[in-house]
Amino acid sequence: MAISNHERVGKALDLLKEGLAPFVEREMKAQHAQLWFEQAKASVSDSQAGLFGSGEEPRWDVAALLAVMWNQWQVVFRKTLGQAERTFVSELRGVRNKWAHQQAFSSDDAYRALDSVGRLVAAISAPQGEEIEKMKMELLRVRFDEQARGERRKSAGTA
């Protein structure tokens, strides 16, 4: 069975979470030392903070990771990332919200989300980038096949 664009985006967000968690923890610890976990919790909404677990075993979700990056940008993340990456963080917060609210993704929207995830994980040298690239290529193949089928049907209808 074919995977939907919504499922593709969900998988990409899972890969983003896997890549971001160690990076966010490392950068937060470098800046805030023993207070890193409290600072991370203070960077998100109360409902998100309640899901964090503990400093020894944090339970991250991608929304919380992106919120921490956004809200700690000036103090922590701008030291290692640039304005383009801040833009990806903002864009991916919107993608995650759209995904969480079960909104549909066109092929173009899904590709854009995969590309932004890929660029952000590449910027932090996370190993998930390779899997994201495979997903992007698969989506392009699907789009090409759909386009070719449509052109064949159009040609058959005019012949």
Side-chain angles (χ1 to χ4, degrees):
M1 186 172 131
I3 184 171
S4 72
N5 287 333
H6 191 270
E7 291 167 326
R8 275 186 187 89
V9 171
K11 171 70 171 155
L13 291 172
D14 285 343
L15 291 167
L16 179 61
K17 179 182 82 166
E18 290 173 22
L20 282 182
F23 172 77
V24 168
E25 287 181 28
R26 182 184 73 231
E27 297 298 313
M28 290 292 288
K29 286 175 183 176
Q31 177 64 38
H32 297 296
Q34 292 86 5
L35 297 176
W36 79 271
F37 191 71
E38 288 73 22
Q39 289 294 321
K41 284 178 73 169
S43 299
V44 300
S45 69
D46 290 341
S47 60
Q48 285 177 315
L51 305 173
F52 262 41
S54 67
E56 293 78 39
E57 268 190 69
R59 288 192 310 262
W60 294 109
D61 69 11
V62 73
L65 287 163
L66 292 168
V68 168
M69 288 184 76
W70 183 259
N71 293 319
Q72 289 281 322
W73 190 266
Q74 296 302 324
V75 176
V76 178
F77 297 100
R78 79 176 196 162
K79 295 176 182 178
T80 53
L81 299 173
Q83 186 58 42
E85 289 77 25
R86 182 166 169 86
T87 301
F88 295 139
V89 169
S90 177
E91 180 181 340
L92 290 169
R93 291 178 77 190
V95 166
R96 183 264 167 207
N97 289 340
K98 182 176 176 179
W99 176 84
H101 292 105
Q102 302 292 309
Q103 294 179 13
F105 286 86
S106 69
S107 292
D108 287 341
D109 290 343
Y111 187 85
R112 170 87 181 223
L114 295 176
D115 188 57
S116 295
V117 168
R119 289 172 186 265
L120 187 55
V121 298
I124 63 170
S125 301
Q128 289 76 12
E130 190 174 316
E131 183 66 22
I132 294 294
E133 283 303 311
K134 289 178 187 174
M135 292 174 67
K136 285 170 51 180
M137 291 302 109
E138 175 61 24
L139 179 54
L140 288 176
R141 275 191 293 277
V142 168
R143 288 181 66 196
F144 177 76
D145 289 347
E146 288 171 354
Q147 184 180 15
R149 272 194 304 276
E151 288 174 5
R152 283 194 299 271
R153 276 190 225 120
K154 192 174 170 182
S155 296
T158 59

